[in-house]
Amino acid sequence: MSDETTNGAAAPAAQQDAAGPAFTVEKVYVKDVSFEAPGAPAIFSEPGQPDLQLNLNQRVQRLNEALFEVVLGVTLTCKIGEKTAYVAEVQQAGVFALVGLEPQAIDVLLGTQCPNILFPYVRQTVSDLIQAGGFPPFLLQPINFDALYAETLRQRQQQAGADAAASELPVGNA
């Protein structure tokens, strides 16, 4: 008998099935990055307070039976007055293995834990881009992905209720 020690991350799917449900991070990577400072260098001497707009989005793609790609996208736009100081866009992605879990549990993990895992990476990349662009350091504030997921569920239920009500409308005869 062989004594082999692994960290579990590279365990074959058959071994994971035998061990029960599993959630693993297979890969974390930057999928897309963009930084623009359209008014540089004049924008550096522009008077006024910066106005920041944050756009956050998430996409999930099923790669196979057990693998999912989750992409957390952040677009941060900074304006001073009417002029755009910079636009930083980051698409941080990860491949996650979810084995032996119910569909509801998979949905929860993809909507909460996966973006929580990706967030520190996207936060650091955005910060590095802005600082490399010659602007003062900026750190994204923590995001409550559990609350965002709960809101998404509420919207799904509301939409399902509206769809059900629309399908129950009587159809008139001509």
Side-chain angles (χ1 to χ4, degrees):
M1 183 145 131
S2 159
D3 289 334
E4 186 175 325
T5 304
T6 65
N7 66 3
Q15 287 179 347
Q16 289 178 350
D17 285 341
F23 171 73
T24 58
V25 179
E26 300 296 316
K27 182 68 108 178
V28 174
Y29 55 98
V30 172
K31 191 164 183 117
D32 191 20
V33 159
S34 172
F35 181 84
E36 299 173 38
I43 198 71
F44 296 126
S45 60
E46 191 72 28
Q49 290 295 317
D51 177 32
L52 295 168
Q53 286 186 319
L54 176 69
N55 182 0
L56 178 73
N57 63 65
Q58 178 184 341
R59 292 187 324 268
V60 176
Q61 177 183 352
R62 184 176 215 132
L63 303 175
N64 65 30
E65 185 64 29
L67 291 178
F68 296 84
E69 178 190 52
V70 177
V71 180
L72 182 61
V74 170
T75 301
L76 184 64
T77 304
C78 176
K79 290 189 173 198
I80 299 175
E82 294 296 315
K83 297 179 182 174
T84 300
Y86 62 80
V87 178
E89 297 176 304
V90 176
Q91 303 262 323
Q92 185 70 47
V95 175
F96 301 91
L98 292 94
V99 178
L101 297 163
E102 296 295 321
Q104 177 62 30
I106 290 173
D107 193 55
V108 170
L109 287 170
L110 292 173
T112 60
Q113 293 305 310
C114 294
N116 270 318
I117 290 168
L118 296 174
F119 184 75
Y121 295 96
V122 77
R123 180 183 191 190
Q124 185 65 50
T125 303
V126 167
S127 177
D128 290 347
L129 284 171
I130 291 168
Q131 206 164 359
F135 295 93
F138 176 82
L139 283 179
L140 290 171
Q141 293 301 307
I143 295 173
N144 185 342
F145 289 103
D146 293 326
L148 290 176
Y149 178 75
E151 177 61 20
T152 300
L153 280 184
R154 188 191 65 72
Q155 289 175 358
R156 282 185 201 166
Q157 290 169 346
Q158 189 176 24
Q159 183 62 39
D163 290 346
S167 67
E168 293 174 4
L169 292 175
V171 178
N173 291 332

